[in-house]
Structure formats: structure tokens, C-alpha cells
Amino acid sequence: MRRVKLRRVIEASLLLAGGFVLHQIMPPLIAGMKPDMSLLMLFVVVLLYPEKKLTLLSGLVTGVISALTTTFPGGQVANMIDKPITAFSVLFMILLAEHLKLPMKFKLSVIGVLGTIISGSVFLGAASMMVSLPQSFVVLFMSVVLPAALLNTGFLYAIYPIVIQVKKLLPEYDMGSEKEAA
């Protein structure tokens, strides 16, 4: 059981590290804005492993990564607040969607759009409490957060199935062989 948990932490870490690398090399797509690949990989991790402890760990790690790379005024602290809140919001959405037996495509849409909107809103709200925003909250929300929600949703549709296919290619850890060896 311990190896299974460690494997999930390692897989989550690799996905979050991959999100960081993708975020660094992603060129701006629309008006200087680019999808937050770290946020997308956070969504993927929580989708793969909807567990409280791993969600908290992944949210904190993504917050640290985003804080280290942000250029937004006040963005360091805002990222540390935003990412764990977003991670648990996504976990709640996933658990609710599973309870309601919603199809995966709908689940990805809801997580992509609402997860990004929650992330952007919490980020802008936290940043506005620490520094004055370069534009009003509403202007930044309409011009950055909403388009990012659409871009992130599109990228989530593309990335999640790829991650699932790669994960299927990996060998699974066999719990039975450990019991036989003991």
C-alpha cells in the first residue's frame, strides 16, 4: 500500500514538473496571454488521484512553482493562496461529478472553465489586497481570466487523454508479488 501511495506522489510530481516546463516554453497565444500549464497539470493530477492529501500537496507544490515564476505584482503570495484553494475546489467538482455520474467530457469542461475562473478570481482578489492591480479587477477578469478559461479547457481536453494513454502504457505495481516474497 505504501508503494502505491509513493507511486502516486511520484507520478503527480512528474506531471507538475512537466506542467512547469510546458508553462516556461509555452509562447503567448492571445494578446500576450498564455494558458497556465502548471494549473492544467494540477487539474490532471486531481482528476487522476482525487485524494485529499495528494490534492493538498499538489496545490501547495503548484503554488510554490507558480510563485517562483510569476511576474505579476504581488503574484508570489497570491499564487500560494490561489493554488491550494483551486485544487480543493477541483476536488469537490470531481467528487460531485462522480456522485452525479456525469460524463468525462462534461467533467473536463466544468473543471477547465470553473477551475480556471476560481483560480483567476482568487489570484486577482489576493493580489489586489496586497498591491494595486495594473487594471481593475473586472477588466483583468474579463480580459485575462475568461479567455484563459477557454484556452485551459481546450488544452485540458487535449492533455488529459494523452496522460491517460501514457499511464496505461506504464507497468502497474503488483501487490501480490510483495506478499509472495514475504
Side-chain angles (χ1 to χ4, degrees):
M1 186 67 166
R2 189 170 259 182
R3 286 189 181 180
V4 172
K5 288 183 180 182
L6 178 61
R7 180 182 176 123
R8 289 179 177 187
V9 170
I10 292 169
E11 287 177 6
S13 300
L14 290 171
L15 287 167
L16 294 175
F20 166 72
V21 170
L22 288 172
H23 186 69
Q24 293 303 307
I25 63 173
M26 176 67 68
L29 300 178
I30 299 173
M33 183 190 64
K34 58 184 182 177
D36 186 346
M37 300 306 278
S38 299
L39 183 64
L40 286 175
M41 287 308 196
L42 175 62
F43 295 168
V44 170
V45 168
V46 180
L47 277 160
L48 287 174
Y49 307 117
E51 307 162 2
K52 286 184 248 178
K53 288 181 183 178
L54 191 54
T55 296
L56 175 62
L57 180 64
S58 298
L60 291 172
V61 167
T62 305
V64 168
I65 289 170
S66 297
L68 292 172
T69 60
T70 189
T71 57
F72 194 89
Q76 290 77 17
V77 175
N79 272 302
M80 295 297 296
I81 295 168
D82 141 49
K83 297 306 188 275
I85 290 171
T86 301
F88 276 104
S89 299
V90 169
L91 176 62
F92 173 76
M93 286 184 256
I94 291 167
L95 296 176
L96 181 62
E98 287 175 1
H99 177 74
L100 297 173
K101 299 182 183 352
L102 297 175
M104 181 54 76
K105 287 190 179 193
F106 184 75
K107 197 184 316 186
L108 291 176
S109 297
V110 169
I111 289 166
V113 171
L114 290 181
T116 305
I117 288 173
I118 290 167
S119 177
S121 298
V122 172
F123 177 87
L124 289 174
S128 71
M129 289 183 203
M130 290 174 275
V131 297
S132 68
L133 296 175
Q135 295 287 325
S136 73
F137 182 96
V138 173
V139 168
L140 289 171
F141 183 82
M142 299 295 283
S143 64
V144 177
V145 176
L146 290 181
L150 295 176
L151 284 172
N152 284 352
T153 302
F155 275 94
L156 186 59
Y157 267 116
I159 289 173
Y160 184 72
I162 293 170
V163 170
I164 293 298
Q165 289 302 316
V166 169
K167 191 163 170 35
K168 286 179 182 176
L169 296 174
L170 299 175
E172 288 295 320
Y173 178 73
D174 182 13
M175 296 295 288
S177 62
E178 184 176 293
K179 291 178 185 175
E180 292 171 9

